[in-house]
Amino acid sequence: AQSVTQLDSQVPVFEEAPVELRCNYSSSVSVYLFWYVQYPNQGLQLLLKYLSGSTLVKGINGFEAEFNKSQTSFHLRKPSVHISDTAEYFCAVSYTGGGNKLTFGTGTQLKVEL
Amino acid sequence: GAVVSQHPSWVICKSGTSVKIECRSLDFQATTMFWYRQFPKQSLMLMATSNEGSKATYEQGVEKDKFLINHASLTLSTLTVTSAHPEDSSFYICSARDLGELGYNEQFFGPGTRLTVL
């Protein structure tokens, strides 16, 4: 069985500061990894995904993530955050051959302050 | 990009009534749609996988007689919450699957439906 752990439920950060949201997964098979963002009362928007190839993945809104197979991690980073980045961020995993089912982490609330 | 809509965006109903939520893929055909449930400040939990023209596959612990799913066409899936009770109040989100790069069928999410049962 696969699982996703987001250790930080809340991450406060000042505007223009860098941020890292942590995600670790467990799976006995190859996986696809995703980061989604959710604004209040809205659905999910895909930030970026890792399917194969380069372990450094760049997404929308200046976010990037690095797939580290040995540490089973897929941390999300942004060098300089903006107030508009305040939202809930979900890490998700799907394993190859699993019918594209997504397993989500518990989410991290990013709060950007002035 | 692929767009998925949900209707209604929010609904309030009385206990004991049934509520239908629609999920539509607007610019692509979705052979598979997924239904999720999200409680306040919690993650998304997959309820069921809906395949066009066949019965939905429900996750463990989800009552199929309570949450009726119909996927009658390649662009429409519906979730009906039957005999709704206050504990069914939640945010329901659907996603639709499209063929993406490297053969991975990417999911595109709808904006969600807020259900409140009084």
Side-chain angles (χ1 to χ4, degrees):
Chain A
Q2 54 189 358
S3 65
V4 180
T5 302
Q6 292 181 249
L7 289 173
D8 306 305
S9 59
Q10 284 189 328
V11 173
V13 63
F14 288 109
E15 192 174 34
E16 297 184 3
V19 70
E20 179 179 81
L21 306 184
R22 296 181 294 171
C23 173
N24 288 86
Y25 69 93
S26 66
S27 177
S28 57
V29 297
S30 296
V31 296
Y32 301 127
L33 295 158
F34 307 83
W35 275 100
Y36 289 88
V37 61
Q38 184 181 35
Y39 298 99
N41 295 311
Q42 294 187 28
L44 273 66
Q45 181 182 11
L46 180 66
L47 278 178
L48 47 78
K49 61 180 183 281
Y50 171 79
L51 302 181
S52 69
S54 174
T55 57
L56 182 61
V57 181
K58 293 190 183 297
I60 62 172
N61 301 341
F63 284 94
E64 65 179 32
E66 185 157 18
F67 169 55
N68 188 319
K69 188 174 181 179
S70 62
Q71 297 186 2
T72 60
S73 67
F74 191 56
H75 301 331
L76 181 70
R77 295 190 290 259
K78 186 170 183 177
S80 176
V81 296
H82 189 267
I83 286 285
S84 59
D85 293 323
T86 295
E88 188 83 18
Y89 291 80
F90 291 97
C91 181
V93 63
S94 175
Y95 65 91
T96 57
N100 301 126
K101 285 186 181 182
L102 288 171
T103 300
F104 286 88
T106 50
T108 297
Q109 174 67 41
L110 175 64
K111 186 173 181 181
V112 181
E113 302 167 350
L114 291 172
Chain B
V3 180
V4 176
S5 70
Q6 280 184 244
H7 179 80
S9 56
W10 60 270
V11 56
I12 302 173
C13 70
K14 293 182 179 180
S15 185
T17 61
S18 295
V19 174
K20 180 184 285 188
I21 302 170
E22 292 185 349
C23 177
R24 293 181 184 272
S25 57
L26 298 185
D27 50 3
F28 67 100
Q29 293 184 329
T31 54
T32 303
M33 291 184 174
F34 301 87
W35 286 96
Y36 296 85
R37 184 174 181 176
Q38 185 181 31
F39 290 104
K41 300 193 182 299
Q42 293 189 30
S43 189
L44 280 74
M45 300 299 294
L46 179 65
M47 298 174 65
T49 302
S50 166
N51 291 297
E52 186 265 339
S54 63
K55 291 184 179 180
T57 302
Y58 290 82
E59 295 298 301
Q60 192 172 8
V62 178
E63 298 176 61
K64 62 180 180 180
D65 294 330
K66 179 158 189 68
F67 299 100
L68 300 179
I69 292 173
N70 183 277
H71 193 160
S73 77
L74 288 172
T75 59
L76 173 65
S77 176
T78 60
L79 167 68
T80 301
V81 183
T82 62
S83 186
H85 288 94
E87 57 265 31
D88 298 323
S89 298
S90 190
F91 195 50
Y92 292 87
I93 303 175
C94 74
S95 70
R97 193 171 77 177
D98 189 19
L99 184 62
E101 63 189 84
L102 302 179
Y104 176 78
N105 294 3
E106 186 168 337
Q107 289 186 37
F108 296 92
F109 287 81
T113 297
R114 173 77 57 194
L115 170 62
T116 301
V117 184
L118 303 177

